[in-house]
Amino acid sequence: VQLQASGGGTVQAGASLGLSCAASGRTFSRYTVGWFRQAPGKERDLVAAIRLRDMLTYYADSAKGRFTLSGDNAKASVSLQLSSLKPEDTAVYYCAAIEDRKGWSRISDQDSYNYWGQGTLVTVSS
């Protein structure tokens, strides 16, 4: 699976932005796609994840109520809609795919992910 993340940019606080992760290769519906982010000087953390076979979702506390995931198996893509953005959301956002057979409990474990896309930078100005 090859992943291509897109949609980053610079916005003002309070604005919205949509990120997209497009996949090519193997059967996409057998994966869970996670969105991670890494802010300057900080570790990379899971923001949200979606299991594509049943669209089960997970959101980190920082994302709940503001970020929304959606998946499209036919198009092999996952979108992350960011809203009510804050300066602390500034980070490089990465999408990654983990095989479902590894288990939902592993979605926060970066080392368990099979494939990674390149990052896309989101900058939120105050």
Side-chain angles (χ1 to χ4, degrees), residues 13 58 94 108 112 118:
Y58 161 85
Y94 300 88
S108 296
S112 292
Q118 88 293 358

Side-chain angles (χ1 to χ4, degrees), residues 15-96:
S16 298
L17 198 64
L19 305 183
S20 181
C21 180
S24 61
R26 300 171 185 249
T27 305
F28 197 49
S29 61
R30 296 177 182 173
Y31 291 84
T32 289
V33 172
W35 280 95
F36 291 79
R37 70 182 181 186
Q38 186 166 25
K42 295 187 177 181
E43 295 184 349
R44 186 163 60 183
D45 294 317
L46 179 67
V47 174
I50 183 167
R51 188 167 66 190
L52 292 167
R53 61 180 170 89
D54 59 6
M55 302 300 171
L56 176 66
T57 56
Y58 161 85
Y59 295 95
D61 288 344
S62 59
K64 289 179 181 177
R66 299 189 302 126
F67 295 178
T68 304
L69 272 171
S70 61
D72 188 331
N73 286 320
K75 295 182 179 179
S77 67
V78 169
S79 296
L80 180 65
Q81 183 68 27
L82 315 175
S83 62
S84 302
L85 283 163
K86 306 173 183 179
E88 51 263 43
D89 293 319
T90 295
V92 178
Y93 285 72
Y94 300 88
C95 63

Side-chain angles (χ1 to χ4, degrees), residues 36 44 96-99 102 106-116:
F36 291 79
R44 186 163 60 183
I98 179 173
E99 293 174 300
K102 292 189 178 181
R106 294 278 189 94
I107 61 169
S108 296
D109 179 12
Q110 298 179 48
D111 292 337
S112 292
Y113 280 74
N114 303 87
Y115 307 100
W116 288 82

